[in-house]
Amino acid sequence: MRKILPITLLSVGCAALFPATVSALSMSPPPRANPQPSKFVFKDASGKATSVDVVQSYEPTKIVRPFATGAKSDRQLDPKLMRAATIAEERAHAHSRRQCWHAVKEALLASGVISSRPTTEYAKQAGQELVNNYGFRKLPVNDPYQAPVGSVLVYNANRAAGHVEIRTKDGFVSDFWSKTPSRRPLLGVFVKS
């Protein structure tokens, strides 16, 4: 108790004798000239200076896919393809179980798009079998987001089985559902008229 009293008295005395020094030690930050900038400036991948607007307020609507809209349905396609997409979506899991081609085969069979079970083992072989044996055709589409609802997307893999999925209205489905397509190289988008 005796040590605290002299330190307290010394502190109070210094504050009385030097008020400007004590006020400079305040913990609040100094006021800024422009508290909220309206543009954020940065250099893009090519080295060019670019700017974007800074978000000033909360937006209650959720941005799901900023650059692409929902998939379009093509009336010229077999309506059973859309049914296959729905069936696959209903049966999909939260995460992959490495059974994409099996799940797509089951959805195509259950919807009546194909009459017998495909025999190929690897997903990357699916497109060729669908064209040769089941009347599918390959679309001239290179962007998975541009694929019509119900189309079958086949992806390559160098030392793996590949991947296959069906385009849905809001994403892509095989043995699991995803908002985004596979990152593997796209072999083709296949549909049946």
Side-chain angles (χ1 to χ4, degrees):
M1 185 79 167
R2 292 183 179 195
K3 289 183 181 180
I4 296 175
L5 185 60
I7 293 174
T8 306
L9 290 175
L10 182 64
S11 299
V12 172
C14 286
L17 294 175
F18 305 108
T21 308
V22 174
S23 67
L25 297 175
S26 122
M27 295 298 170
S28 61
R32 293 183 352 181
N34 187 4
Q36 292 184 348
S38 60
K39 292 281 189 187
F40 176 74
V41 181
F42 64 97
K43 288 187 179 179
D44 62 9
S46 65
K48 180 182 169 188
T50 309
S51 66
V52 293
D53 292 330
V54 174
V55 176
Q56 300 286 338
S57 62
Y58 170 73
E59 295 294 328
T61 56
K62 182 179 176 185
I63 299 173
V64 176
R65 191 179 308 123
F67 301 112
T69 58
K72 307 274 190 254
S73 58
D74 190 347
R75 294 177 190 256
Q76 295 177 352
L77 299 181
D78 188 345
K80 293 177 184 176
L81 284 173
M82 287 184 258
R83 178 70 183 130
T86 304
I87 290 171
E89 234 174 352
E90 290 170 354
R91 297 176 179 179
H93 301 283
H95 301 285
S96 174
R97 295 192 175 178
R98 299 183 182 267
Q99 296 290 317
C100 61
W101 184 211
H102 176 77
V104 170
K105 285 180 192 180
E106 291 296 322
L108 292 174
L109 261 171
S111 66
V113 175
I114 57 176
S115 57
S116 63
R117 186 175 183 76
T119 58
T120 53
E121 186 176 342
Y122 298 117
K124 61 185 174 185
Q125 301 168 334
Q128 195 61 39
E129 184 174 15
L130 291 174
V131 169
N132 292 341
N133 300 338
Y134 298 101
F136 278 72
R137 63 184 167 88
K138 184 177 178 181
L139 293 179
V141 175
N142 295 328
D143 180 14
Y145 287 109
Q146 300 302 317
V149 175
S151 59
V152 178
L153 290 83
V154 180
Y155 300 90
N156 195 11
N158 290 335
R159 286 173 270 174
H163 183 65
V164 63
E165 59 194 9
I166 300 175
R167 179 70 162 117
T168 65
K169 183 178 177 188
D170 300 319
F172 304 86
V173 67
S174 56
D175 60 330
F176 69 100
W177 183 86
S178 174
K179 288 183 183 180
T180 58
S182 175
R183 292 179 287 161
R184 297 174 179 90
L186 181 67
L187 288 174
V189 176
F190 301 90
V191 295
K192 188 173 182 180
S193 300

